[in-house]
Amino acid sequence: MKKIAVAGAGFSGAVIARELAQAGYRIEVFDARPHVAGNCHTARDAGTGVMTHVYGPHIFHTSNEKVWNYVRQFDEFMPFTNRVKAVTNGHVFSMPINLLTINQFFGKTFSPKEAESFLASLGDQSITDPQTFEEQALRFVGRELYEAFFHGYTKKQWGIHPSELPASILRRLPVRFNYDDNYYASTFQGMPKNGYTEIVARILDHPHIKVHLNTKFERSMDDGYDHIFYSGPVDAWFKHSEGRLGYRTLDFVPERHRGDYQGNPVINYCDEAVPWTRISEHKHFSPWESHDNTLIFKEYSRYCEESDTPYYPIRLAKEKSQLRRYVELASEERKVTFVGRLGTYRYLDMHVTIAEALDVAERFLACRASGQKMPSFVVNPLG
Ligand SMILES: Cc1cc2nc3c(=O)[nH]c(=O)nc-3n(C[C@H](O)[C@H](O)[C@H](O)COP(=O)(O)OP(=O)(O)OC[C@H]3O[C@@H](n4cnc5c(N)ncnc54)[C@H](O)[C@@H]3O)c2cc1C
């Protein structure tokens, strides 16, 4: 039986491990942390009993039926629809911007058609080819909505002025001309009844899989493995030879209260003067449970230093050119495939992570069957 090493026990590593174990390979999974599930890790808070999303709120949504059926093999998914609120200038609004937001913000009773032409009249038509986030927002929603909902929030989230961010971040117009306040447009949405860590533990529960927690997988450990799937940071694999790839990190500051703190899972704070970007109240992620006390997290965004947890890849021009050099180095690896959000330096939702991991495993089996070399990347990280 051939031996495979998987670095990282998040969704990427776990799904690849499971698929290959089922195909008859013997898998050793390593994770530097003391738990599985990577950044999707959930755990019960000892103080309140609330199921906590330890590395920030995670809502499962997808339009990919294969992925939806895949995850539901490992836990029951409870009905959950993410409805976000946003506080700006002392008022609460519904997000993403929809007909209720527009009518409340401007004190109107517009129909969908009226709201659409009103917004078109607010947009800055002199910007014909928006290049930056700011231009994109001004072009499509106009100055008032941009300043209320995007300017301060984006500055806090990315640490730079929206005029320095690419328009691609706001490529899809986040405005709806109806009263639909479902944050996601995906076909399926839900929350695992027993949390994400339980799902990942069940994915990894296979007689051919051995999990080593608290164990960082190093390049020097590759002896004796037929292939390595690495879901750690691509720059760390090469000892940051091309410099550290930049990330934003998040600080989650907990508070425990009695009863219901904010009446909603997530509320965004758009004003620049409020230092946190959002507050999440985790018992509302499990609305089928009941708890007398509550746990909230105020979320602060800042530049990720060496000892911090990397969350959002920055991916501006400087990072893209570093990434290009890492991709070149990776292509010289004989038996390593870089996967997942850190291995490919991209923001990936869970459903995309799972879909890609299933593809990676399938590709590996096809390469082995045909005698071809397994590529270093199955998806181009620069794309
Ligand atoms: C704040 C935030 C909120 C999010 N919310 C959502 C959401 O609502 N819905 C959604 O679909 N997605 C969400 N996501 C995305 C989700 O977190 C990712 O899709 C998912 O974590 C990717 O899984 P992964 O296995 O690729 O990476 P990770 O979960 O990061 O797992 C990688 C693992 O590798 C380990 N590791 C790293 N280096 C090594 C090494 N050398 N040796 C051993 N182990 C190593 C790490 O400890 C980690 O456990 C969110 C992401 C963030 C940042």
Side-chain angles (χ1 to χ4, degrees):
M1 222 191 271
K2 297 275 187 170
K3 226 167 93 177
I4 305 276
V6 173
F11 268 115
S12 297
V15 170
I16 293 169
R18 175 73 179 218
E19 292 299 295
L20 299 186
Q22 285 175 179
Y25 285 86
R26 195 146 59 87
I27 320 288
E28 302 228 9
V29 177
F30 299 84
D31 204 296
R33 290 170 172 170
H35 59 76
V36 300
N39 271 13
C40 306
H41 176 50
T42 44
R44 289 236 175 248
D45 173 52
T48 58
V50 168
M51 183 63 91
T52 308
H53 298 206
V54 177
Y55 300 90
H58 277 73
I59 294 109
F60 199 91
H61 64 101
T62 184
S63 296
N64 182 331
E65 202 165 354
K66 183 177 166 189
V67 168
W68 183 236
N69 290 336
Y70 182 87
V71 286
R72 288 184 307 140
Q73 294 174 86
F74 300 100
D75 198 11
E76 184 183 347
F77 271 69
M78 304 298 281
F80 182 87
T81 304
N82 197 24
R83 300 189 200 281
V84 175
K85 302 285 175 272
V87 174
T88 181
N89 198 22
H91 296 279
V92 183
F93 293 98
S94 162
M95 285 298 270
I97 295 175
N98 60 66
L99 196 47
L100 185 64
T101 325
I102 297 167
N103 278 333
Q104 287 184 335
F105 189 83
F106 293 105
K108 302 285 186 190
T109 54
F110 286 138
S111 68
K113 216 167 159 212
E114 287 166 342
E116 198 166 351
S117 35
F118 177 68
L119 229 66
S121 75
L122 296 181
D124 185 341
Q125 306 304 323
S126 69
I127 305 168
T128 50
D129 182 19
Q131 294 299 313
T132 69
F133 181 102
E134 184 172 60
E135 286 177 355
Q136 180 85 342
L138 290 174
R139 166 82 177 79
F140 288 111
V141 299
R143 185 158 294 279
E144 274 180 277
L145 288 173
Y146 162 67
E147 284 185 350
F149 295 108
F150 298 110
H151 177 85
Y153 190 86
T154 308
K155 257 180 107 173
K156 289 191 287 186
Q157 180 76 348
W158 291 101
I160 52 175
H161 196 276
S163 61
E164 293 172 69
L165 287 167
S168 56
I169 294 190
L170 200 66
R171 192 55 82 193
R172 274 193 14 248
L173 183 63
V175 174
R176 293 192 189 136
F177 297 107
N178 57 30
Y179 289 99
D180 179 7
D181 64 350
N182 182 348
Y183 196 76
Y184 297 113
S186 305
T187 314
F188 311 106
Q189 191 171 166
M191 277 290 178
K193 190 171 185 183
N194 296 291
Y196 294 103
T197 298
E198 188 59 29
I199 293 195
V200 175
R202 289 174 188 170
I203 295 174
L204 289 166
D205 182 17
H206 188 281
H208 290 175
I209 300 177
K210 192 164 178 208
V211 179
H212 306 268
L213 296 178
N214 297 306
T215 314
K216 191 170 175 187
F217 189 86
E218 307 277 1
R219 214 174 171 185
S220 55
M221 292 158 70
D222 71 351
D223 248 18
Y225 294 106
D226 186 48
H227 199 82
I228 293 142
F229 293 92
Y230 177 79
S231 70
V234 59
D235 52 345
W237 184 259
F238 297 105
K239 296 210 167 359
H240 307 104
S241 63
E242 309 302 310
R244 283 184 179 274
L245 289 169
Y247 279 92
R248 299 291 290 172
T249 191
L250 300 171
D251 294 319
F252 295 100
V253 178
E255 287 177 25
R256 289 175 183 80
H257 297 271
R258 282 205 62 76
D260 193 350
Y261 181 81
Q262 63 179 17
N264 204 52
V266 177
I267 299 189
N268 291 354
Y269 285 80
C270 305
D271 299 318
E272 216 179 326
V274 178
W276 52 86
T277 50
R278 55 181 185 168
I279 299 180
S280 49
E281 183 167 10
H282 287 221
K283 72 176 176 183
H284 296 310
F285 292 125
S286 309
W288 61 93
E289 294 186 0
S290 139
H291 300 279
D292 294 336
N293 297 326
T294 194
L295 172 65
I296 65 139
F297 290 93
K298 288 185 174 151
E299 188 172 322
Y300 300 79
S301 171
R302 63 180 169 80
Y303 188 76
C304 183
E305 303 292 348
E306 216 174 304
S307 57
D308 296 321
T309 305
Y311 282 101
Y312 296 109
I314 292 175
R315 287 183 73 95
L316 292 178
K318 175 182 157 235
E319 293 79 15
K320 284 269 190 75
S321 77
Q322 283 175 295
L323 179 61
R324 196 163 294 115
R325 295 198 295 277
Y326 283 120
V327 169
E328 279 161 24
L329 287 174
S331 67
E332 286 159 26
E333 291 285 344
R334 277 183 312 108
K335 57 170 189 176
V336 185
T337 301
F338 296 84
V339 296
R341 63 175 203 101
L342 298 167
T344 62
Y345 189 58
R346 289 174 303 152
Y347 175 84
L348 300 176
D349 268 336
M350 289 180 279
H351 64 103
V352 180
T353 305
I354 293 167
E356 287 192 2
L358 290 169
D359 284 350
V360 166
E362 202 175 302
R363 181 75 176 268
F364 178 77
L365 295 174
C367 285
R368 283 299 183 262
S370 64
Q372 279 180 316
K373 178 189 177 288
M374 177 66 183
S376 310
F377 292 101
V378 166
V379 178
N380 180 4
L382 293 159

